[in-house]
């Protein structure tokens, strides 16, 4: 029991507990909440006499939630998420909004996408302000606007990229920035500018002829910065276009150098945010941050990732493996703004609330620095997310120990049993063993609110893996007994499992998200069910002699391609 709590002013987090009194030191509201969290955690371990001091290594640190990939979190759910972020000590928050906020001047902007009203954004900002969290608007002013630009209200260069140099484009951007200025208190704004693939290669090329991508980019950025200054903003951009230009694959070249001419012509006084979520080696992050620091008149920031965009479950293991070296490099380079991106896939197949636990990687490095341990991270993850290390690791094995983007779990849920598009060298026996092991752990946590979701997800993937491991071979060897079992038993059971998974997914969605975008998930599950029914009919028709062969199973299987970055439409063929 906590007795005689006293509070003191402290630049960071201070917790001292003795038999007679407890002292909590802090300067901000998130630090106060974190001090309480640390106190609770230590007492839960049986510690009653201790002193803990923590000073954040980053001035601003917090998550960015992607609400632009087919699911917009309700304002109430956003506020609930931020409350837990504040308990971890985070003092900054972003909502990544491509076209999911309303601008009356552009009626097709976010049309039927569930965009926020200004009043809703203000409500989020007010709630955050009372928590001591700065909400920084996060928009797009060049690329990543394909959902909007296809309506034709604003001129585009290539798909998803605004037409640089066109006055109508800058009128549109000013409306975006003016909207954000009305909605949020922050004097910072993230204006995007990333992955503008094809910049200058479409309508821009037709109008102006060939020009170097970096020249177009810098000129466009300079005009956007004029608008941000008009509204008293300190702008931030993703820095990848300086590393890669139109060749986005060059961004990941560890030894790639930014041309000095590009640096010399770059606008000043804009924060450059280097992002990476994939590498496990410190040297990669170190070299990239060194390159970014060559922009002498621009602050350098870092964005890492909480792996939620592989679909269905977060990949905690890969988050740890990639972010520990990334955050250590950021600390060594004196980075003061650190962002934890929580991206979504196509249709938000992973509930972003599930990513809360993995945010502990960022909170613990922020407050503990390079002395942070895995135990520190898992302890706070359990306090915030309610799931211990055993369950977190069991859930992470949905990805079978693979790196992010090697989406074995997602592929199994969506893939076709007759038309094999996995193209991985999958050891199905290993996958089956891993999933059975995870299920045995999940069974121990039946009181978890997501128990049925975890169970049905793993059972669905397991059922698919078991069928894929035997189905074609049974056809080739004329194992009619197994083919009959597959058609009359295994597929019926699998369809029931998918039905349960769908209902659990629906429950999770309706708890935190607006209805727009759910139709995609609904249609995917409906299509999967009808295809499994059709697969059983095809196999039964073959066994009954109604068809001479199963053409799909006649095809030789290709392996060794290891295709990555494929999402639902690839595996569902639509």
């Amino acid at each position: 029991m906590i007795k005689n709590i006293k509070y003191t002013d402290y630049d960071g987090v201070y917790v001292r507990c003795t038999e007679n009194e407890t002292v909590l030191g802090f300067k901000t509201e998130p630090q106060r909440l974190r001090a309480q969290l640390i106190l609770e955690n230590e007492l839960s371990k049986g510690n009653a006499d201790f002193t803990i001091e923590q000073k954040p290594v980053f001035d601003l640190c917090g998550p960015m939630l992607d609400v632009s990939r087919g699911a917009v979190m309700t304002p109430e759910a956003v506020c609930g998420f931020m409350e837990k972020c504040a308990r971890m000590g985070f003092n900054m928050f972003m909502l990544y909004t491509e076209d999911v906020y309303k601008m009356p001047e552009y009626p097709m902007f976010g049309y039927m996408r569930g965009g926020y009203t200004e009043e809703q954004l203000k409500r989020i900002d007010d709630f955050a302000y009372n928590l001591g969290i700065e909400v920084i608007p996060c928009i797009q002013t060049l690329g990543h606007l394909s959902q909007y630009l296809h309506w034709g209200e604003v001129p585009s260069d290539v798909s998803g990229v605004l037409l640089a140099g066109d006055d109508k484009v800058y009128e549109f951007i000013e409306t975006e920035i003016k909207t954000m200025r009305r909605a949020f208190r922050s004097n910072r704004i993230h204006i995007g500018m990333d992955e503008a693939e094809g910049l200058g290669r479409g309508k821009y090329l037709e109008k102006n002829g060939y020009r170097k991508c970096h020249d177009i980019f810098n000129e466009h950025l300079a005009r956007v910065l004029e608008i941000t200054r008009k509204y008293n903003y300190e702008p931030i951009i993703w820095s990848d276009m300086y590393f890669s230009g139109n060749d986005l694959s060059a961004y990941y070249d560890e030894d790639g150098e930014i041309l000095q001419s590009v640096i010399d012509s770059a606008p000043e006084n804009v924060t450059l945010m280097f992002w990476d979520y994939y590498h496990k080696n410190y040297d990669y992050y170190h070299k990239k941050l060194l390159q970014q620091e060559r922009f002498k008149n621009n602050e350098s920031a870092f964005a890492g990732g909480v792996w939620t965009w592989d679909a269905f479950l977060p990949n905690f293991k890969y988050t740890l493996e990639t972010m520990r070296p990334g955050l250590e490099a950021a600390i060594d380079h004196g980075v003061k703004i650190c962002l934890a991106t929580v991206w979504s896939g196509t249709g938000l197949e992973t509930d972003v609330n599930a990513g809360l636990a993995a945010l502990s990687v960022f909170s613990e490095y922020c407050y503990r620095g390079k002395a942070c341990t895995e135990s520190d991270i898992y302890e706070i993850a359990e306090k915030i997310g309610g799931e211990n290390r055993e369950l977190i690791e069991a859930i992470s094995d949905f990805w079978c120990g693979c790196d992010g983007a090697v989406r074995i779990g997602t592929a199994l849920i969506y893939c076709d049993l007759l038309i094999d598009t996995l193209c991985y060298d999958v050891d199905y026996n290993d996958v089956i063993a891993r999933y059975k092991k995870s299920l045995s752990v999940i069974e121990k946590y039946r009181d978890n609110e997501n128990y049925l979701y975890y169970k049905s997800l793993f059972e669905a993937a397991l059922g698919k893996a078991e069928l894929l491991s035997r189905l074609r071979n049974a056809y080739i060897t004329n194992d009619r007994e197994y083919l009959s079992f597959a058609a009359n038993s295994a597929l019926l059971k699998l369809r029931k499992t998918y039905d349960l998974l769908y209902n659990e997914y629906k429950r999770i969605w309706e708890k935190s998200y607006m209805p727009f975008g759910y139709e995609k998930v609904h249609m995917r599950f409906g299509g999967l069910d009808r295809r499994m029914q059709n697969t059983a009919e095809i196999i039964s028709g073959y066994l009954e002699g109604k068809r001479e062969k199963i053409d799909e199973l006649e095809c030789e299987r290709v392996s060794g391609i290891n295709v990555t970055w494929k999402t639902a439409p690839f595996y569902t063929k639509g």
Side-chain angles (χ1 to χ4, degrees):
M1 183 175 178
I2 304 172
K3 297 180 181 179
N4 301 322
I5 298 182
K6 296 180 180 179
Y7 301 99
T8 186
D9 185 63
Y10 184 81
D11 188 15
V13 174
Y14 177 82
V15 183
R16 180 165 61 84
C17 184
T18 66
E19 183 179 348
N20 299 317
E21 68 174 8
T22 300
V23 179
L24 301 183
F26 51 87
K27 190 171 285 292
T28 66
E29 181 64 8
Q31 290 171 1
R32 181 186 73 81
L33 293 170
R34 180 175 174 84
Q36 290 182 336
L37 178 67
I38 291 171
L39 176 62
E40 293 168 12
N41 186 50
E42 292 301 317
L43 292 175
S44 70
K45 295 189 292 184
N47 297 335
D49 191 342
F50 57 88
T51 299
I52 295 173
E53 298 180 67
Q54 297 177 349
K55 295 199 174 187
V57 296
F58 305 121
D59 293 341
L60 283 176
C61 186
M64 181 219 75
L65 293 191
D66 177 6
V67 292
S68 298
R69 294 294 188 277
V72 180
M73 214 173 192
T74 65
E76 295 75 19
V78 171
C79 291
F81 192 97
M82 286 194 297
E83 273 191 300
K84 294 181 178 178
C85 289
R87 290 192 73 209
M88 301 169 83
F90 290 128
N91 62 356
M92 178 260 285
F93 186 86
M94 292 186 192
L95 279 175
Y96 174 73
T97 49
E98 292 175 354
D99 66 328
V100 288
Y101 53 96
K102 297 184 184 301
M103 297 194 298
E105 301 93 330
Y106 296 91
M108 301 311 294
F109 189 73
Y111 180 66
M112 290 293 181
R113 293 259 287 150
Y116 297 109
T117 64
E118 276 190 41
E119 187 276 330
Q120 288 174 323
L121 293 176
K122 287 178 181 177
R123 197 190 323 158
I124 290 170
D125 190 57
D126 287 343
F127 189 88
Y129 181 76
N130 289 328
L131 286 172
I133 290 176
E134 178 182 349
V135 180
I136 300 174
C138 187
I139 62 174
Q140 284 291 357
T141 58
L142 182 57
H144 282 292
L145 289 170
S146 58
Q147 292 284 352
Y148 170 60
L149 290 178
H150 77 272
W151 294 112
E153 258 187 351
V154 175
S156 61
D157 182 358
V158 294
S159 177
V161 179
L162 291 165
L163 181 57
D166 191 293
D167 288 342
K168 289 182 179 179
V169 165
Y170 301 101
E171 291 173 8
F172 165 76
I173 291 171
E174 181 161 2
T175 304
E176 287 186 292
I177 291 171
K178 185 165 49 177
T179 301
M180 294 298 104
R181 182 76 281 177
R182 290 196 300 262
F184 297 105
R185 291 175 173 83
S186 176
N187 286 328
R188 297 180 178 90
I189 187 170
H190 200 310
I191 55 175
M193 295 274 182
D194 61 312
E195 297 183 322
E197 190 170 11
L199 175 64
R201 302 297 185 267
K203 289 183 181 177
Y204 186 96
L205 180 65
E206 294 176 11
K207 289 183 65 175
N208 304 286
Y210 173 78
R211 296 188 65 217
K212 292 180 180 179
C213 172
H214 285 123
D215 291 339
I216 302 171
F217 181 83
N218 277 333
E219 287 176 10
H220 176 74
L221 175 57
R223 290 193 65 173
V224 177
L225 294 182
E226 286 180 17
I227 301 171
T228 62
R229 283 193 291 271
K230 179 179 176 180
Y231 291 92
N232 194 33
Y233 267 130
E234 300 169 23
I236 305 167
I237 67 168
W238 309 110
S239 65
D240 55 273
M241 289 295 287
Y242 283 128
F243 287 92
S244 57
N246 269 314
D247 182 8
L248 298 184
S249 64
Y251 184 61
Y252 303 106
D253 180 359
E254 181 173 337
D255 295 312
E257 290 194 8
I258 303 172
L259 295 174
Q260 187 60 47
S261 59
V262 171
I263 294 172
D264 292 340
S265 60
E268 299 178 356
N269 300 318
V270 54
T271 296
L272 303 179
M273 183 166 275
F274 165 69
W275 56 266
D276 191 275
Y277 327 122
Y278 313 98
H279 292 82
K280 299 179 183 180
N281 57 312
Y282 173 93
D283 284 350
Y284 175 84
Y285 296 97
H286 169 63
K287 290 178 180 178
K288 289 294 187 179
L289 288 169
L290 278 177
Q291 285 293 310
Q292 187 164 273
E293 288 163 1
R294 291 171 59 205
F295 293 82
K296 299 300 183 185
N297 298 306
N298 302 94
E299 183 177 358
S300 184
F302 173 70
V306 170
W307 272 85
T308 50
W309 61 95
D310 272 351
F312 298 109
L313 290 172
N315 193 338
F316 196 104
K317 176 179 179 289
Y318 194 55
T319 301
L320 265 177
E321 290 175 341
T322 53
M323 289 302 98
R324 294 198 71 181
L327 289 166
E328 288 182 6
I331 292 169
D332 287 345
H333 281 264
V335 165
K336 293 305 176 185
I337 301 177
C338 180
L339 188 66
T341 61
V342 185
W343 295 107
S344 298
T346 55
L348 191 110
E349 290 135 332
T350 303
D351 176 23
V352 296
N353 291 300
L356 268 165
L359 282 173
S360 60
V361 180
F362 288 80
S363 67
E364 299 321 289
Y365 265 97
C366 179
Y367 280 91
R368 301 173 189 267
K370 292 172 68 176
C372 174
T373 68
E374 282 196 10
S375 295
D376 295 329
I377 291 166
Y378 277 107
E379 280 184 13
I380 298 302
E382 183 174 358
K383 284 295 177 184
I384 294 296
E387 296 175 346
N388 65 15
R389 182 168 188 164
E390 181 185 43
L391 183 55
I392 288 171
E393 290 182 344
I395 292 168
S396 289
D397 222 21
F398 186 62
W399 311 111
C400 300
C402 293
D403 288 354
V406 183
R407 295 174 166 149
I408 289 179
T410 305
L412 286 169
I413 291 295
Y414 282 133
C415 73
D416 194 90
L417 290 165
L418 299 180
I419 301 176
D420 184 3
T421 55
L422 266 69
C423 299
Y424 296 124
D425 289 328
V426 176
D427 181 347
Y428 286 114
N429 289 328
D430 178 61
V431 172
I432 290 166
R434 285 175 180 269
Y435 286 177
K436 286 182 175 179
K437 182 180 178 182
S438 287
L439 280 164
S440 69
V441 173
I442 291 167
E443 279 299 318
K444 295 162 60 176
Y445 298 92
R446 298 176 70 92
D447 58 343
N448 184 293
E449 66 171 329
N450 290 323
Y451 161 73
L452 283 177
Y453 175 68
Y454 298 149
K455 177 180 170 65
S456 58
L457 180 64
F458 273 87
E459 286 183 343
L462 173 62
K464 275 279 191 72
E466 289 176 332
L467 280 164
L468 285 164
S469 71
R470 295 188 59 184
L471 190 59
R472 184 170 185 270
N473 187 61
Y475 172 75
I476 297 299
T477 60
N478 199 30
D479 184 349
R480 300 177 74 83
E481 181 179 353
Y482 183 79
L483 291 175
S484 177
F485 165 76
N488 299 311
S489 178
L491 277 163
L492 287 174
K493 179 182 178 183
L494 189 58
R495 289 177 66 194
K496 290 179 180 178
T497 302
Y498 267 78
D499 192 51
L500 177 59
L501 175 59
Y502 167 77
N503 287 327
E504 282 299 298
Y505 190 89
K506 182 172 180 282
R507 173 187 65 80
I508 291 171
W509 184 291
E510 291 178 344
K511 182 179 177 181
S512 297
Y513 303 94
M514 298 185 194
F516 300 93
Y518 183 72
E519 73 283 352
K520 293 179 182 178
V521 179
H522 185 91
M523 287 187 281
R524 287 172 192 167
F525 273 94
L528 287 165
D529 181 68
R530 293 307 298 268
R531 179 56 174 167
M532 284 187 282
Q533 178 187 13
N534 179 240
T535 298
E537 292 169 354
I538 290 171
I539 297 171
S540 294
Y542 171 72
L543 293 173
E544 293 165 8
K546 295 178 181 178
R547 57 174 68 217
E548 293 183 5
K549 59 182 179 178
I550 301 177
D551 292 281
E552 300 94 329
L553 296 181
E554 289 282 335
C555 296
E556 291 293 329
R557 296 307 191 238
V558 174
S559 64
I561 296 177
N562 292 314
V563 176
T564 62
W565 292 116
K566 300 303 179 186
T567 52
F570 177 84
Y571 295 114
T572 55
K573 307 289 283 186

